[in-house]
Amino acid sequence: MAGYHPYRNLRLPPNAPFELRPSPGKGWGAFATRLIHRGEVILRENPLFVIPGPNVTDKSLWQAFLGLSQDQQQQFSYIRNNSSTLFTDMIQAMSQNHFTVVDDNPVTAQLHLLGFFVLQSRFNHSCLPNSTTPAAPTYTVTRYATRPIFAGDEITFSYTPDLKFMVRQERHRALRFVCTCSACQVSTPNRIGIPHQTVSDQRRVLIRGLQYLVSGQDPVLKRRHGPVEDMAVPPLFFDLAKKREAESLRIPLSAKFIAVLLYAALLEEEDILDDHMLNIMRPNSLRIAHRFRTRSNIAIVRHVWAQSTWAIRFWYALFYLWNKTDAADP
Ligand SMILES: [Zn+2]
């Protein structure tokens, strides 16, 4: 039948602000059917089933499937891979339709649980996403708009949080496909005429280096479960003494404060600083601000914090605090 696709049978919640339809080059995607405001909930969904991961077996997936109601099995049967063909096995179906879920039960909270999501898995990736599914202590996955999404726009999200620390080629290796968002398209100029992609790569190397500097760990390598030999690590540190200082958490407070402000400013400039990240960033940077003990530094920090944007805060901190020692330094 012309125009038929099993996704037309998937049940969306009543009043869902999106529809499913083909997305050129990406199979199918989800598109806004009206203006969705920043912070608005786009979709709350419970998994069809949850199983312990990260590695799953065909047998455990079949068991989970057989435990579903007939109606749920039917919803499951509508799911296709990106080229709209049937999955060849259950593991492949799971790998492309799962989200990590969190349990607030103290016994199982430490398990790496994977939920199978029929609708949340229909949203495509972008390195400059307009939605996010922040972790919450529940099996329900909730998707929020991170910026206004206009009717007709595709709704996207970043497949994993690590991707913000990677340059274009690393992201494509990790994603196992070539993303065509404007952070990945080489030719798209930004508002001052420089290709966004070139600047984006430089920004993301800096973002990763700053995270390393502040936390003492490479944010990409520390999260990898499997082998890392295919990960080309860009030179995050030119100064090995600094690298050692970072890894033993001996960074002076002023340098740490400047690094955190620059980190936020770069995320904002890259256009990936959403409200959920801000809810983590703001208290984190305030905690660092509150640690200063030298009177003159405290006055500067107050002045820095009173500024209106992360970029201005960064410049003020750089100007007044660069190389300053503090009584609270490690
Ligand atoms: Zn991309």
Side-chain angles (χ1 to χ4, degrees):
M1 190 165 70
Y4 171 78
H5 192 284
Y7 286 177
R8 299 202 191 282
N9 298 320
L10 292 177
R11 253 195 323 271
L12 304 189
N15 306 319
F18 66 91
E19 62 182 358
L20 301 177
R21 59 179 160 90
S23 174
K26 302 186 221 171
W28 276 53
F31 293 79
T33 47
R34 58 160 173 86
L35 170 68
I36 304 172
H37 298 279
R38 179 177 176 146
E40 206 181 321
V41 171
I42 298 169
L43 172 64
R44 252 189 249 281
E45 188 186 17
N46 292 320
L48 276 191
F49 58 83
V50 171
I51 59 168
N55 300 312
V56 295
T57 61
D58 214 41
K59 194 177 157 213
S60 63
L61 286 167
W62 275 110
Q63 261 166 2
F65 174 78
L66 294 171
L68 298 177
S69 70
Q70 207 173 7
D71 179 68
Q72 287 174 316
Q73 287 186 351
Q74 193 172 40
Q75 291 287 306
F76 185 98
S77 74
Y78 295 139
I79 302 301
R80 297 290 181 272
N81 68 18
N82 261 350
S83 41
S84 288
T85 51
L86 277 165
F87 287 103
T88 48
D89 61 70
M90 291 293 263
I91 292 178
Q92 197 194 22
M94 189 68 190
S95 76
Q96 293 186 22
N97 292 280
H98 78 267
F99 282 70
T100 301
V101 293
V102 187
D103 200 334
D104 56 2
N105 177 340
V107 180
T108 45
Q110 299 309 314
L111 291 176
H112 188 119
L113 297 172
L114 307 176
F116 189 97
F117 288 86
V118 172
L119 296 177
Q120 294 287 15
S121 308
R122 309 281 64 80
F123 292 78
N124 288 316
H125 166 86
S126 169
C127 310
L128 295 175
N130 55 19
S131 82
T132 184
T133 56
T138 161
Y139 285 176
T140 311
V141 167
T142 306
R143 179 177 301 276
Y144 299 87
T146 54
R147 62 180 84 190
I149 307 173
F150 298 97
D153 282 357
E154 179 162 12
I155 305 171
T156 56
F157 74 119
S158 181
Y159 277 2
T160 79
D162 300 11
L163 294 167
K164 67 173 168 293
F165 302 114
M166 299 182 194
V167 299
R168 174 178 178 267
Q169 281 188 334
E170 293 167 330
R171 291 198 299 274
H172 293 179
R173 257 203 309 272
L175 288 164
R176 293 167 210 248
F177 62 82
V178 175
C179 175
T180 55
C181 79
S182 47
C184 289
Q185 258 170 350
V186 179
S187 54
T188 315
N190 68 5
R191 60 181 182 273
I192 54 167
I194 302 165
H196 179 96
Q197 203 279 312
T198 321
V199 197
S200 163
D201 274 3
Q202 290 164 355
R203 266 196 295 260
R204 286 177 194 241
V205 170
L206 268 170
I207 287 169
R208 180 172 172 185
L210 288 164
Q211 175 75 14
Y212 197 154
L213 192 74
V214 173
S215 70
Q217 276 180 310
D218 185 306
V220 176
L221 297 185
K222 83 164 185 189
R223 280 206 233 202
R224 302 249 130 202
H225 299 297
V228 293
E229 74 277 1
D230 61 336
M231 295 289 303
V233 182
L236 298 177
F237 284 101
F238 295 100
D239 180 347
L240 282 179
K242 268 272 165 300
K243 184 171 188 281
R244 276 194 295 273
E245 228 176 79
E247 284 169 353
S248 57
L249 300 173
R250 281 185 286 110
I251 296 289
L253 200 51
S254 60
K256 196 167 189 172
F257 190 54
I258 292 169
V260 166
L261 296 174
L262 178 57
Y263 180 82
L266 287 168
L267 287 177
E268 191 162 55
E269 189 58 29
E270 181 67 9
D271 216 1
I272 49 176
L273 184 64
D274 62 51
D275 292 343
H276 300 277
M277 248 192 267
L278 264 178
N279 284 341
I280 300 168
M281 292 254 20
R282 250 195 233 108
N284 276 354
S285 29
L286 252 185
R287 250 194 300 281
I288 296 172
H290 283 307
R291 278 173 48 201
F292 282 90
R293 283 289 160 267
T294 303
R295 194 180 287 272
S296 57
N297 289 347
I298 293 174
I300 295 170
V301 168
R302 281 210 187 106
H303 181 63
V304 165
W305 198 256
Q307 304 309 311
S308 56
T309 70
W310 293 99
I312 299 173
R313 284 178 192 156
F314 161 68
W315 285 115
Y316 269 81
L318 183 68
F319 192 77
Y320 291 111
L321 281 176
W322 180 249
N323 266 343
K324 282 250 168 80
T325 54
D326 192 90
D329 274 339

